[in-house]
Amino acid sequence: MPTPAAVGHRIVHSGPHLTGHTLIDARVRALLADVADLAPLHVTPALPVVDAARELLPDIPHVACFDTVFHKDLPAPARAYAVPERWRAEYGLRRYGFHGLSYSWALQRTAQALGRPVDNLQVVLVHLGGGCSACAVRNGRSVDTTMGLTPLEGLVMSRRSGSLDPGALLWLQRRHGLSTDELDDTLHRHSGLLGLSGISGDTRDLVRARAEGDAAAALALATFTLSCRRGIASMAASLDRLDALVFTGEIGEDQPEVREEICSALAVLGVRGGLLVPELEDLMREGLRRIDQGRSGVPVLVVATGETQQIAAETRQVLGM
């Protein structure tokens, strides 16, 4: 391998003080440690990797590339929680949004596929993987997204609950004595598709189990696809029109049953079912496929996840390469 010129690190949460991809120095490293508890599944394990890479490769620059940057200009109504000013100003309670590196890549590829400039597109992007979210993009900018202060909000996910009535959490604490640590562990690691099915957080396993008559697997998939439709519809409410619906992420790429069940029930948005099913090898080689039948409905695309490529591009840009 040639000697690397730089290292780009995916960091899920930027916190309030970092609004762009940036060179990692002592100050930035300290700021990242301070926000690790806002994305404990991601930032906490990422920081030892950052430290090890900086120690092993001390003479080259290391760049933090954030999933939150794509959403940094969310409009105030989409960014704000309906809580008192003190919570928002003093505690910094606000919505950030995530999966931004994935969305950046998918948006550029979508513009190429449709032959239209990014700044003239209004699309809903859906990242479905271990974590799941949807995002509304108006003229090249994120204007709404389903994730919030942390990557726990929004759609049902593989092992994460997604949005939950906050009153339910208060009730679990008061009535059943669940501790903060118990709630944290359960909502992050034992909920979502896994919690609903009792067998797996992997949609491939659940599709097979449903075909064999597993009622819990069927419920998990039905709840998941309903959650996705709700998220997509809520994102469309922030747009004037819907130029395309775009799937990315591991589930978005490789689970045609999920895509079909989502789209076939979105006729209200002009999205139709009967989707084409590209071979995964072809999708990985070409990078994207349009999968709607090209009739009168909204275009539906699948874009191969490109977070790694986006990190490389953002790193080069930060360093002026």
Side-chain angles (χ1 to χ4, degrees):
M1 294 291 290
T3 302
V7 179
H9 298 266
R10 180 195 177 203
I11 306 294
V12 165
H13 211 306
S14 64
H17 302 297
L18 299 169
T19 57
H21 311 300
T22 186
L23 194 67
I24 299 174
D25 56 18
R27 170 184 168 273
V28 168
R29 175 62 178 80
L31 289 172
L32 295 180
D34 189 53
V35 300
D37 60 342
L38 291 177
L41 296 184
H42 302 89
V43 178
T44 300
L47 293 182
V49 177
V50 170
D51 295 339
R54 294 178 73 202
E55 181 177 344
L56 291 167
L57 299 167
D59 299 322
I60 62 173
H62 294 254
V63 173
C65 299
F66 298 108
D67 270 317
T68 47
V69 166
F70 186 73
H71 309 287
K72 67 183 178 65
D73 295 320
L74 277 177
R79 187 175 64 245
Y81 285 113
V83 295
E85 170 67 17
R86 180 185 175 192
W87 287 18
R88 289 178 279 125
E90 186 175 335
Y91 302 150
L93 192 61
R94 51 157 289 191
R95 305 182 75 249
Y96 283 90
F98 302 93
H99 290 134
L101 295 165
S102 175
Y103 288 143
S104 294
W105 179 261
L107 179 61
Q108 296 294 332
R109 298 308 308 272
T110 298
Q112 293 170 10
L114 298 179
R116 297 175 60 175
V118 167
D119 60 7
N120 190 33
L121 277 180
Q122 298 197 36
V123 299
V124 173
L125 307 173
V126 189
H127 180 105
L128 302 179
C132 301
S133 71
C135 173
V137 174
R138 179 200 291 266
N139 302 332
R141 301 177 67 157
S142 171
V143 293
D144 203 358
T145 189
T146 55
M147 282 182 168
L149 175 73
T150 77
L152 189 58
E153 186 180 0
L155 309 185
V156 171
M157 306 179 217
S158 177
R159 294 169 178 264
R160 280 174 264 168
S161 64
S163 292
L164 188 66
D165 178 358
L169 302 180
L170 298 174
W171 177 77
L172 287 169
Q173 288 182 309
R174 290 170 176 163
R175 175 67 69 89
H176 297 285
L178 270 64
S179 68
T180 302
D181 288 343
E182 287 177 292
L183 291 173
D184 184 290
D185 183 58
T186 301
L187 295 176
H188 279 101
R189 296 177 175 84
H190 305 287
S191 297
L193 290 168
L194 175 62
L196 284 164
S197 70
I199 58 172
S200 177
D202 190 321
T203 54
R204 294 168 296 186
D205 296 335
L206 299 179
V207 167
R208 287 191 291 267
R210 180 178 63 180
E212 295 168 359
D214 188 319
L219 174 63
L221 287 168
T223 304
F224 177 69
T225 54
L226 174 59
S227 170
C228 292
R229 294 195 301 272
R230 285 171 171 167
I232 291 166
S234 69
M235 294 301 100
S238 290
L239 303 176
D240 300 320
R241 62 181 190 274
L242 185 58
D243 294 329
L245 174 62
V246 183
F247 290 95
T248 189
E250 296 92 332
I251 297 172
E253 295 167 9
D254 192 26
Q255 199 68 69
E257 297 89 348
V258 168
R259 294 194 301 259
E260 182 65 32
E261 288 168 33
I262 292 170
C263 291
S264 62
L266 281 176
V268 68
L269 297 181
V271 177
R272 304 184 187 280
L275 302 175
L276 304 172
V277 181
E279 292 292 335
L280 188 59
E281 288 185 4
D282 294 339
L283 176 62
M284 293 300 104
R285 182 177 62 253
E286 298 170 15
L288 76 162
R289 276 290 182 92
R290 183 168 172 174
I291 59 172
D292 62 286
Q293 296 280 7
R295 299 190 292 270
S296 58
V298 169
V300 180
L301 289 82
V302 179
V303 176
T305 308
E307 288 165 316
T308 302
Q309 298 95 313
Q310 192 65 34
I311 290 168
E314 301 291 1
T315 299
R316 292 188 182 100
Q317 185 169 350
V318 167
L319 299 175
M321 291 182 174

